[in-house]
């Protein structure tokens, strides 16, 4: 092996035991260097915690927490570069992702371009503001793996082309974000629009206004708002595109898109159809990790809702699919979060919980990751963390179809904390968004019971039994996870409200 190993902007100098980024020294320390070298030598394969501890602390017996601290410190030193991400592999250890995920820009996941925003003001600092917003949005969008984002350098090359959108379409880019900035006194107005390039139709548009004296906070608010709405907008557009595509030309990604709204939906009636679509997708692309992750998630959803099994052992099938997903796509935060949630829910694997929360930290602008992190922390009993993740999901995408889940999640956490009035308030907000989610009615029944509002509790329990006629106390007990703060909180009040024992 040579004296130097290059990955992305980093160079590992093995002779001098030194790491640099873009030529600048990165002070990782002796143990950090050894940890990075060990992960790098594994060529992207997972390395067990035991092997890492033996290499970093040779001949010394240490607690596993020391390795966790060292990994966290190294992650901070590597920063947010997509060319060097240390990911947690549940039940095993860690692996180093040294390449950004490659995507097919024509038939697979879409390619998005953030065009330079026009400056309609007269001040040079307005141009800097517009450029800063574009940089921030491009960086934030690049954290998503369900689509790819054209780099700023590649985008700059398009600016000189006379017909920019035509050139964009020729390169297989499906979505373009455009915008402009205008000053009026001390106020700045920014407009942004997302287009579907092939037809030129606008999918979304918004205006933002802020004071120039708070320009950085204004810039952060714009970035968060734009990124939060773009992902679900593109997701919906892609699902619709896949539905319209002729059956003879669908690919693995199209099949996955057709299955996703069924899996994400609250019901279970079409789950067999979704599983068949995911299996066809997996057969067409054996390396497509998201199909395994979502199939595992589908099984887990049914188990959590106490639905009738699809196979002889749905739990084992879900766990196996989750492990397959991790082996294929541990560099994708969404895959890690979905599979980690399944392994935590069905096996009580606390390492998997770490994988979910780490994925949320890697992409804090993905509402789906926020909801998964909220679910895993809430189940484990960390209700304040769960509420924080749910509120972040709502702030990012309050109008997303799955917003009712976060509203319910906040209700559930308040119920567990003993804040029954707040639980009722948030449950009502969830029902106003979607009124057929059984868990919201369960939380509402329990909050009413805890407050001795028994007429309301029994009326709400009646709705629970309409949605799930076979639900019993024993079924909840049998389906409870190893760590299940929600089940622990609802069993006593449901029993008191009159849910049958068996």
């Amino acid at each position: 092996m040579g004296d130097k190993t290059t990955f992305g902007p980093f160079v590992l100098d093995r002779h001098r035991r030194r790491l640099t980024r873009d030529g600048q020294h990165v002070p990782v320390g002796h143990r950090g260097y050894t940890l990075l070298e060990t992960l790098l030598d594994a060529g992207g394969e997972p390395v067990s915690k035991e092997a890492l501890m033996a290499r970093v602390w040779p001949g010394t017996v240490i607690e596993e927490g020391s390795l966790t601290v060292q990994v966290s410190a190294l992650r901070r030193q590597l920063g947010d570069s997509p060319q060097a991400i240390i990911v947690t592999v549940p039940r095993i250890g860690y692996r180093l992702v040294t390449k950004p995920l490659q995507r097919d820009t024509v038939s697979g996941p879409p390619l998005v371009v953030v065009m330079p925003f026009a400056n309609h003001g007269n001040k040079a600092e307005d141009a800097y503001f517009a450029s800063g917003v574009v940089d921030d949005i491009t960086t934030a969008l690049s954290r998503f793996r369900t689509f790819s984002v054209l780099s700023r350098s590649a985008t700059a090359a398009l600016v000189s082309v006379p017909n920019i959108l035509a050139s964009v379409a020729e390169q297989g880019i499906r979505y373009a974000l455009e915008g402009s900035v205008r000053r009026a006194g001390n106020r700045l107005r920014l407009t942004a629009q997302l287009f579907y390039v092939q037809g030129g139709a606008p999918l979304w548009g918004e205006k933002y206004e802020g004071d120039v004296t708070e320009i950085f906070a204004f810039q952060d608010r714009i970035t968060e708002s734009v990124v939060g709405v773009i992902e679900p907008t593109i997701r919906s557009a892609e699902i619709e595109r896949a539905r319209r595509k002729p059956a003879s030309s669908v690919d693995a990604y199209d099949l996955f898109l057709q299955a996703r709204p069924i899996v994400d939906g609250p019901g279970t009636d079409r789950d067999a159809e979704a599983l068949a679509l995911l299996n066809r997708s997996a057969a067409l692309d054996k390396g497509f990790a998201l199909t395994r992750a979502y199939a595992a998630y589908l099984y887990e959803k049914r188990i959590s809702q106490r639905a009738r099994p699809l196979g002889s052992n749905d739990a084992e099938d879900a766990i196996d699919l989750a492990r397959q997903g991790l082996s294929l796509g541990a560099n994708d935060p969404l895959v890690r979060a979905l599979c980690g949630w399944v392994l935590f829910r069905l096996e009580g694997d606390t390492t998997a919980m770490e994988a979910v929360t780490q994925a949320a930290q890697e992409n804090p602008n993905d509402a789906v990751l926020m909801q998964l992190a909220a679910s895993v922390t809430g189940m484990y009993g960390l209700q304040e963390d769960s509420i924080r993740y749910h509120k972040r999901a709502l702030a990012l995408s309050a109008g997303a179809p799955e917003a009712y889940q976060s509203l319910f999640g906040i209700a559930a956490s308040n119920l567990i904390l003993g804040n029954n009035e707040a639980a009722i308030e948030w449950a009502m907000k969830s029902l106003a968004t979607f009124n057929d989610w059984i868990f919201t009615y369960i939380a509402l029944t329990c909050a009413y019971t805890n407050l001795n509002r028994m007429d309301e509790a029994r009326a709400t329990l009646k709705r629970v039994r309409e949605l799930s006629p076979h639900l019993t106390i024993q079924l909840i007990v049998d389906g409870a996870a190893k760590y299940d703060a929600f089940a622990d909180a609802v069993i006593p009040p449901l029993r008191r409200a009159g849910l049958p024992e068996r």
Side-chain angles (χ1 to χ4, degrees), residues 36-84:
L36 179 59
E37 184 180 59
T38 305
L39 291 170
L40 196 58
D41 287 348
E45 294 298 316
V47 183
S48 71
K49 293 181 178 180
E50 293 77 12
L52 289 170
M53 289 189 287
R55 180 78 180 271
V56 178
W57 291 273
T60 305
V61 178
I62 64 161
E63 296 291 333
E64 188 177 296
S66 298
L67 177 62
T68 302
V69 171
Q70 193 63 59
V71 169
S72 297
L74 184 56
R75 282 172 174 153
R76 287 194 298 271
Q77 293 292 345
L78 293 176
D80 60 1
S81 170
Q83 290 89 1

Side-chain angles (χ1 to χ4, degrees), residues 4-49:
K4 294 183 179 181
T5 302
T6 300
F7 52 104
F10 297 98
V11 176
L12 191 77
D13 188 330
R14 297 171 183 272
H15 178 69
R16 301 173 63 187
R17 295 182 63 81
R18 187 170 184 264
L19 179 70
T20 58
R21 176 173 182 161
D22 295 325
Q24 300 297 313
H25 175 57
V26 181
V28 294
H30 168 71
R31 290 196 175 99
Y33 172 87
T34 305
L35 175 62
L36 179 59
E37 184 180 59
T38 305
L39 291 170
L40 196 58
D41 287 348
E45 294 298 316
V47 183
S48 71
K49 293 181 178 180

